[in-house]
Amino acid sequence: MAPRADTAQLWPLGRECAVAFTFDFDAEEAWIAGDPAATERPGRLSQGAYGAKVAVPLILDVLARHGVPATFFVPGRVAERHSGRVAEIVAAGHELGHHGYTHTSPTALTPAQEKEELVHGMKALSRFVPSVRGYRSPSWEITSHTLALLAHHGFDYSSNLMDDIRPYLHPGTGLVELPVHWSLDDAPHFWFAEDEWSKKISTVEEVEAIWRAEFEGIRRLGGCCVFTMHPQFIGRPGRLPLLEAMIALAQETPGVWVAQAHEIAARARRALASLTGAS
Ligand code: ZN
């Protein structure tokens, strides 16, 4: 097992933990990937269209007002369909990360298709940034090929796995993992199951309590709190104050380093490489 860095090695002087605000800008693709026939259902797709049409500008406004550097993971097809929005994200200084080309889980693809998705997605994002450093799979699922594929294509980090609360190095690849968790994702709390009507939509108070507890626990343990939000969910008018509350929590708690995912990965990589003797 790879060595784990302690807090003093991982974070900038005087900081005890890191926080990344990350947004998976799925737009319509989250609905199309699971059901290609959804392209013929504008009502269904409108749930994702809201993200591009209304939510992203609202979120960019919140981030700008609070001076928060964030990371947006964007599927290639979203970058093609909503190129204006993606250009706004980049112009505001936020990081772009890879989120598949069609928002299909790599576990549903052959190795050749997985490679094709990765390359296609990189090409779509290359219109906006010289390179993408991070990969977040649609669904957070990776295959036994994914890490080698990412390393081969020059990625610096993956943000998909739930086996730690601190960044770590994937042995033999040089890739940093920035661990995530369902509890810090807005989708499990807010995504309504419209086919079954079986799922309750959580209140912002419930989610705020879960997020505060998880943030506090990760802070105490010197970890990295990776918030994963989706414009179509967190960008509803009643939920934007929750985003603002989490930003205030991160910015007002002493010892917290708020940074983009690639900055956290770069810092962790240096600290962890010195432990393993790797370069
Ligand atoms: Zn997604």
Side-chain angles (χ1 to χ4, degrees), residues 24-26 30 75 99 103 137-139 230:
D24 295 356
F25 180 16
D26 298 331
H99 195 44
H103 205 272
S137 143
S139 77
H230 299 75

Side-chain angles (χ1 to χ4, degrees), residues 123-274:
K123 191 166 173 227
L125 297 182
S126 71
R127 214 181 120 190
F128 304 93
V129 288
S131 64
V132 284
R133 301 181 176 104
Y135 175 73
R136 172 168 292 156
S137 143
S139 77
W140 279 339
E141 292 273 13
I142 62 171
T143 71
S144 55
H145 310 283
T146 307
L147 296 174
L149 201 54
L150 295 176
H152 177 75
H153 284 91
F155 282 78
D156 290 337
Y157 71 92
S158 148
S159 184
N160 295 295
L161 302 183
M162 306 194 192
D163 55 348
D164 209 330
I165 54 163
R166 292 184 197 171
Y168 64 88
L169 274 177
H170 286 291
T173 65
L175 275 177
V176 173
E177 182 65 37
L178 292 185
V180 293
H181 194 261
W182 292 118
S183 57
L184 286 167
D185 183 340
D186 59 355
H189 307 299
F190 294 135
W191 197 343
F192 181 61
E194 71 259 35
D195 287 337
E196 303 160 19
W197 283 55
S198 58
K199 191 170 165 292
K200 170 183 162 293
I201 296 175
S202 300
T203 65
V204 290
E205 288 77 13
E206 288 170 304
V207 181
E208 182 167 353
I210 292 168
W211 284 2
R212 280 183 183 274
E214 193 68 8
F215 163 82
E216 183 51 34
I218 290 173
R219 187 195 65 76
R220 270 200 314 273
L221 294 168
C224 180
C225 184
V226 180
F227 286 106
T228 299
M229 305 186 198
H230 299 75
Q232 67 267 29
F233 303 132
I234 197 70
R236 296 302 308 179
R239 296 174 188 150
L240 284 165
L242 173 60
L243 171 59
E244 299 213 46
M246 289 304 105
I247 290 171
L249 180 66
Q251 289 183 331
E252 291 165 15
T253 304
V256 177
W257 183 40
V258 180
Q260 292 176 334
H262 76 93
E263 297 175 289
I264 295 171
R267 174 141 196 118
R269 181 207 286 260
R270 283 197 299 275
L272 292 161
S274 70

